[in-house]
Amino acid sequence: MARRCCRLRNILICVCTPCCCLTALSIYAIVTISLQVNSMMLGHVPRVSSNLASPHFVAAGASSNGSNPSVPKTFWERHLRSDALWNRLQRHVDRHFNPIVRKEKSDTLLERSSFDESLLPQSYFEVTGMDSVRENFERLPKQVEEFASNMHKRNYSILIRPDGECGAQSKQEKEPPLILFAIKSTALNFRNRQVIRQTWGRVGWVEGQRINSSDGDMGGGYIRRVFLLGKETPEDLGVDISHLLRAESKRHGDILQWDFKDTFFNLTLKDVLFWRWFSRHCGKPLFVLKGDDDVFINTPKLISYLQDQLEEHRSRNTLHEFMVGEVIGSALPNRVSRSKYFIPEGFYRGLYPMYAGGGGVVYSGELARRLHNISKTIHLFPIDDVYVGMCMIRLNAHPVHHPAFRTFDFTEKEEAQPCSYHTILLVHRRSPREVVDLWANLKDTREQCQDVPLRAVEKKKQRATPPPSV
């Protein structure tokens, strides 16, 4: 009897042990996969460059105490229960890049040469079709609700296009243009555009200028130009000026206008549609300067600076991620309702990514094409320079801060120096009259200030408060 019991016990062990092991393994696999899927549903986490000493980073000029505040790897609120509209829309898109669901790795997917343009509209209608989301729509401020109601739209027809394939250009171009000036303007800002054409934005060959006393050959480069406009209706303006805009385009050949309402929140559309147009029509320009029509640019020094950058980044094979400007880090959404930068918590939660101030920024033509591609995976955001930062972080690229880009102006003491405008590449918010005077002064003082270097990165503690634009 004892022998029979022993034999029965051995049989039970042989049968049950594999079953128990298989059950335990199945439970482990289910828990592991569930955790990974849940993590990916919270949003794709962009890779952090390995050359960063730590996950903490802040742009020069943005810290209040010189310390490095912690910035999360994702720039939006990752909590699954967040009901902010933009966050929900973006999470829905991010699931498309879940490596558990898709066989390809998410990083590989995000570097694809082409994305399906139906991805964003599809996610938009699926999310906004939910009852809870429709209720949140009604609680948004009017201007934010109007933006949110149209943020899935990107297919706007071109009303006016430049004469040249890629903006106004010199007929005598003998080499690829160094820079395309892509300037955001509005229909009524004719004086701004005309002054730019006559001063720093002239097309054709422009000679460079030494950016420090040790420079040798100053060289030069070809310039092209295009103005980016939306549409303003006679009802908005009180008068129909479309015929004047067409006449201006016929004379100068540098207007690119789309059929969307020209508002502050739609400045992001100008970026996205410009990248599409550039990718299709501009194979030659090496760099793009995207700026507002009230900036002043030291074009000769910008040319010399970009020639140096071209050589350096080509040697390091990093031209495809080159962007430079006045960089803002660790910025928070503006929650002041009376501000034009106001973003309510019902629309977006989280920090902003590192981004270059939208008043004026330079990036390579290669990067412009990559931005066009990656923008097909990121829902529009009302603040244009923040949106560019979102696209950059998805490309695992970071804008470079340079103090010669003064998108938030000089101090009075700095501007009073006789050679102050020879130390910068760009300064923001100058009237047409000021631009004319500054351009003339730049020429008059060129010999006097020829050895004055560009502003360098400050070694001391940076300025006390973040820029007011956020």
Side-chain angles (χ1 to χ4, degrees), residues 228-331:
L228 313 176
L229 282 74
K231 182 180 179 182
E232 297 182 80
T233 65
E235 292 75 23
D236 294 329
L237 297 178
V239 62
D240 185 2
I241 63 169
S242 58
H243 62 290
L244 296 177
L245 200 58
R246 287 193 296 270
E248 181 184 351
S249 174
K250 185 176 181 180
R251 179 172 182 179
H252 300 286
D254 56 4
I255 302 291
L256 178 57
Q257 184 190 32
W258 292 277
D259 190 15
F260 65 81
K261 191 174 182 180
D262 211 336
T263 64
F264 175 71
F265 279 180
N266 278 347
L267 287 175
T268 306
L269 268 177
K270 289 186 181 179
D271 276 305
V272 170
L273 296 178
F274 166 71
W275 293 335
R276 178 191 294 174
W277 175 82
F278 182 89
S279 299
R280 293 176 178 177
H281 301 283
C282 299
K284 293 182 178 180
L286 299 172
F287 295 98
V288 173
L289 185 147
K290 187 212 69 177
D292 295 340
D293 63 6
D294 59 351
V295 298
F296 175 79
I297 296 172
N298 187 339
T299 307
K301 280 202 170 179
L302 179 63
I303 285 175
S304 296
Y305 170 76
L306 290 180
Q307 286 176 331
D308 289 345
Q309 295 302 305
L310 182 64
E311 182 178 347
E312 177 183 344
H313 285 274
R314 276 179 169 172
S315 67
R316 298 190 337 222
N317 195 30
T318 54
L319 193 61
H320 65 286
E321 58 186 28
F322 175 79
M323 177 181 285
V324 63
E326 183 166 14
V327 176
I328 299 120
S330 305

Side-chain angles (χ1 to χ4, degrees), residues 98-112:
N98 189 326
I100 304 301
V101 178
R102 306 292 297 274
K103 293 181 179 180
E104 308 97 324
K105 290 184 177 179
S106 59
D107 291 335
T108 304
L109 282 168
L110 283 170
E111 284 295 336
R112 281 194 321 205

Side-chain angles (χ1 to χ4, degrees), residues 31 43 119 163 169 195 246 261 288 354 379 390 392 420 422 442:
V31 170
L119 179 63
D163 287 347
Q169 56 193 268
V195 163
R246 287 193 296 270
K261 191 174 182 180
V288 173
M354 181 191 300
H379 280 283
M390 291 175 171
M392 286 290 286
S420 58
H422 289 268
L442 206 65

Side-chain angles (χ1 to χ4, degrees), residues 337-376:
S337 59
R338 65 179 179 275
S339 170
K340 73 174 183 176
Y341 301 99
F342 171 56
I343 299 295
E345 290 190 6
F347 182 81
Y348 176 83
R349 291 190 65 190
L351 291 176
Y352 283 158
M354 181 191 300
Y355 65 92
V361 61
V362 175
Y363 45 82
S364 68
E366 291 181 39
L367 179 57
R369 284 178 275 273
R370 295 179 69 211
L371 288 168
H372 164 59
N373 191 38
I374 204 68
S375 69
K376 300 174 189 176

